[in-house]
Amino acid sequence: MARVVVDVMPKPEILDPQGKAVTGALGRLGFAGLSVRQGKRFEIEVDGEVTDARLAEIHRAAETLLANTVIESFDVRLETAAEAAL
């Protein structure tokens, strides 16, 4: 079974209050020089082979449901065996 990952992040021009809160908390904990933007990660298990057509279908699903494309950007990628082992 293959895994496709959809990463969704706020667009750069969109405020990210959750990321700003995490950045502030890290600074207070002594982790200086870090800046956080918080997003979402979706892991989609795919039965059978992941073809270009199947990836295009997942891309449409991400564009339709998983991301609010007005304020978020997203990336669809097939997870490699090395990534899956982590």
Side-chain angles (χ1 to χ4, degrees):
M1 186 171 289
R3 179 179 293 161
V4 175
V5 175
V6 179
D7 291 310
V8 180
M9 292 297 294
K11 289 182 178 179
E13 63 273 14
I14 299 299
L15 295 177
D16 180 12
Q18 291 175 310
K20 188 175 277 300
V22 171
T23 298
L26 287 170
R28 289 187 297 278
L29 291 171
F31 298 99
L34 302 177
S35 179
V36 176
R37 301 239 345 133
Q38 184 170 320
K40 300 177 276 192
R41 173 185 163 108
F42 296 91
E43 295 180 355
I44 301 169
E45 300 289 333
V46 180
D47 292 331
E49 184 181 357
V50 179
T51 62
D52 288 342
R54 194 70 160 148
L55 280 174
E57 180 182 41
I58 294 169
H59 187 277
R60 286 193 316 275
E63 191 171 45
T64 303
L65 178 66
L66 304 180
N68 176 349
T69 57
V70 173
I71 61 170
E72 295 173 319
S73 59
F74 66 93
D75 178 58
V76 177
R77 63 185 168 79
L78 181 60
E79 186 174 64
T80 67
E83 290 173 319
L86 296 176

